[in-house]
Amino acid sequence: MESKVDSIEQDGVENISYLTQVQAAQLDELLTGPLGFTVHQLMELAALSVATAIAELESLSVPFLSVEDLTLDISESFDILVDATFGFSFLGAPNPPLDDLIQRVVALQSSNQKAVIVCVDIPSGWHIEEGDLSGKGLKPHMLVSLFAPKFCAKTFHGPHHFLGGRFIPAAILEKFQLQLPDYPGTSPCVRIGKASTGISSLKDKYFEQHVEADPFDQFQKWLEDAMSAGLKRATAAAVSTATKDGKTSSRMVLLRSVDRDGFVWNSNYESRKGQDISENPHAALLFCWSGLNREARVEGTVQKISEQESEHYFYSRPIESQIAALVSKQSTVIPNRQTLHNEYKDLETKYYDGIVIPKPKSAGGYRLRPKMFEFLQGQESQLHYRLQYTAQDIDGKKEWKIDQSTCDKC
């Protein structure tokens, strides 16, 4: 049995092994044979890898529909399409109904629509080793290889390539002499190489000729750029508040969600920022993506999110975080760190074996409803570009006034 695999040096990472069609089939046989995996288990693990890879770039609700439920025109129906019709034994042209569906997606790409195509392991219409020989296969924005990349992945030149399948035992890695990257933390996927839309190509870009008319769309685009470029804590923001007499303070928070209702972050209502907001419900958020030479600033009014939203978030967090919320009394003086640790251990003993932890009344979140957005794109010349959106009430309807300017910020 031939087990030697080819490997190639990727930009910025260690050698990556690539599998031929025969080797991929052999690996499948071993996983479902001596190693005892069922097909359903492997599919679940594969799906988790793909979902995690997609979540690295953007958070979306992805519906699952049958072919019959799809509209004939899918150009405006979806933000993202996942192609998971891969298989090692596919030969020749795809059979119905896949042939028509694949061509509809190919046509979608050629029409320059914004929908993102994610392919799992082998893009539909591709030869497993030679790639898109016919030129009629999918050209995905993102490829999620499973186990180890197949030879066709060498011809993939899209911006995002991930590897999923860290469940392969050490014995299999040794048998096939696989060289694979380390997976971060407990993640089931890891990025291979660097995104072509990374820091070096984005940081000195001017504003695109097309400026989004809606500031929420502009913010979402910049946030996605930051996440695609692999910037750490891309959702982190400095939130600034002030007391009723104008005394200001700032601290860092993590953005929990954003939509047209506003920007939401989790907090403690008894903290200093909570006290500030109760006196003066005006605040500002500042996002700094230094790797892209970009900043985004949002100003508006703040209010508490609903108790239902707060409870949903609280109970979605790990047990350890729920207990920590009970222990933590933000902005209050404690005797020492050991006192805090002892209280945590006592509550850990009390709330064991699935006992529901009561959500503290102080645990909740805030929503900032924007009245002004400002986007700043830095330039090497120090003549930076600034884009400002200001909310205006025109005939009872909220509209955004857009102004562009420059600044000489250092």
Side-chain angles (χ1 to χ4, degrees):
M1 178 185 295
E2 180 187 3
S3 61
K4 180 68 176 178
V5 296
D6 189 34
S7 62
I8 187 171
E9 181 73 20
Q10 294 282 327
D11 293 336
V13 297
E14 58 195 281
N15 287 342
I16 303 292
S17 295
Y18 287 74
L19 300 179
T20 65
Q21 180 178 8
V22 172
Q23 291 160 345
Q26 291 173 348
L27 181 56
D28 256 12
E29 291 177 2
L30 288 171
L31 289 170
T32 57
L35 295 177
F37 283 98
T38 67
V39 173
H40 287 95
Q41 287 174 327
L42 292 177
M43 293 302 291
E44 287 289 338
L45 291 167
L48 176 60
S49 298
V50 174
T52 305
I54 292 175
E56 285 279 331
L57 303 182
E58 51 192 310
S59 298
L60 296 170
S61 298
V62 183
F64 288 84
L65 303 175
S66 67
V67 175
E68 293 76 16
D69 291 331
L70 288 175
T71 59
L72 290 177
D73 181 10
I74 60 176
S75 62
E76 297 182 356
S77 301
F78 306 105
D79 297 310
I80 183 169
L81 292 101
V82 179
D83 163 41
T85 55
F86 63 91
F88 306 133
S89 59
F90 288 0
L91 296 173
N95 295 322
L98 295 180
D99 54 349
D100 174 66
L101 182 58
I102 291 171
Q103 288 311 307
R104 285 160 65 188
V105 178
V106 170
L108 171 68
Q109 291 184 302
S110 63
S111 65
N112 294 319
Q113 295 294 331
K114 292 184 177 181
V116 174
I117 310 298
V118 178
C119 288
V120 180
D121 211 29
I122 306 168
S124 289
W126 284 31
H127 187 283
I128 185 174
E129 295 179 4
E130 303 298 331
D132 187 16
L133 292 176
S134 68
K136 298 180 180 180
L138 298 182
K139 295 175 177 59
H141 303 81
M142 177 177 175
L143 176 64
V144 184
S145 295
L146 299 177
F147 308 156
K150 311 310 178 286
F151 262 72
C152 64
K154 290 185 178 183
T155 65
F156 171 69
H157 300 297
H160 306 291
H161 189 185
F162 284 81
L163 174 66
R166 68 182 298 171
F167 50 85
I168 298 179
I172 297 299
L173 296 177
E174 182 178 352
K175 181 180 181 64
F176 283 82
Q177 300 180 38
L178 296 178
Q179 298 182 59
L180 302 176
D182 293 329
Y183 287 82
T186 60
S187 176
C189 70
V190 59
R191 183 187 287 277
I192 301 176
K194 297 179 180 178
S196 64
T197 55
I199 294 174
S200 61
S201 63
L202 282 175
K203 75 172 187 176
D204 294 324
K205 285 181 62 179
Y206 287 77
F207 276 124
E208 296 85 346
Q209 291 183 352
H210 175 66
V211 172
E212 297 291 345
D214 190 308
F216 287 98
D217 293 336
Q218 187 73 34
F219 179 84
Q220 190 66 41
K221 183 165 64 175
W222 275 28
L223 179 61
E224 289 172 1
D225 284 346
M227 297 177 72
S228 297
L231 302 187
K232 293 183 177 179
R233 289 186 172 256
T235 60
V239 57
S240 298
T241 58
T243 60
K244 60 183 178 181
D245 56 358
K247 187 175 182 180
T248 59
S249 63
S250 299
R251 74 287 289 157
M252 299 300 295
V253 297
L254 287 178
L255 182 66
R256 206 179 85 199
S257 66
V258 57
D259 55 32
R260 280 171 174 73
D261 285 333
F263 290 70
V264 176
W265 69 90
N266 192 57
S267 187
N268 186 305
Y269 294 146
E270 296 178 355
S271 64
R272 177 175 174 180
K273 60 180 173 294
Q275 295 172 8
D276 285 357
I277 292 171
S278 67
E279 297 179 0
N280 182 356
H282 299 276
L285 292 170
L286 172 63
F287 297 84
C288 181
W289 301 301
S290 57
L292 303 180
N293 225 0
R294 287 176 171 178
E295 292 180 6
R297 193 162 61 87
V298 188
E299 295 179 1
T301 55
V302 182
Q303 64 184 48
K304 293 180 180 179
I305 62 175
S306 69
E307 183 65 16
Q308 182 180 7
E309 289 177 280
S310 294
E311 286 190 354
H312 181 271
Y313 176 71
F314 181 79
Y315 290 112
S316 70
R317 303 179 72 189
I319 299 298
E320 295 81 5
S321 298
Q322 296 180 31
I323 295 176
L326 282 179
V327 175
S328 176
K329 299 176 178 59
Q330 286 195 33
S331 304
T332 61
V333 177
I334 59 174
N336 51 58
R337 184 73 179 176
Q338 188 60 42
T339 301
L340 204 64
H341 178 74
N342 291 342
E343 187 175 350
Y344 180 91
K345 297 302 291 185
D346 290 342
L347 289 175
E348 192 176 40
T349 301
K350 178 179 180 180
Y351 295 109
Y352 70 96
D353 198 24
I355 297 177
V356 176
I357 299 173
K359 184 189 79 65
K361 292 183 178 180
S362 60
Y366 290 102
R367 175 178 285 105
L368 182 145
R369 298 184 184 276
K371 293 184 176 180
M372 190 280 291
F373 286 78
E374 184 178 272
F375 299 89
L376 185 143
Q377 174 69 68
Q379 305 295 325
E380 290 292 344
S381 64
Q382 301 299 304
L383 190 62
H384 310 305
Y385 282 74
R386 183 162 49 194
L387 183 67
Q388 186 177 92
Y389 296 76
T390 307
Q392 294 184 326
D393 191 341
I394 300 179
D395 296 329
K397 183 179 179 181
K398 184 177 182 180
E399 295 188 9
W400 293 96
K401 179 177 180 290
I402 304 176
D403 294 301
Q404 295 194 43
S405 62
T406 62
C407 66
D408 59 355
K409 173 186 170 185
C410 295

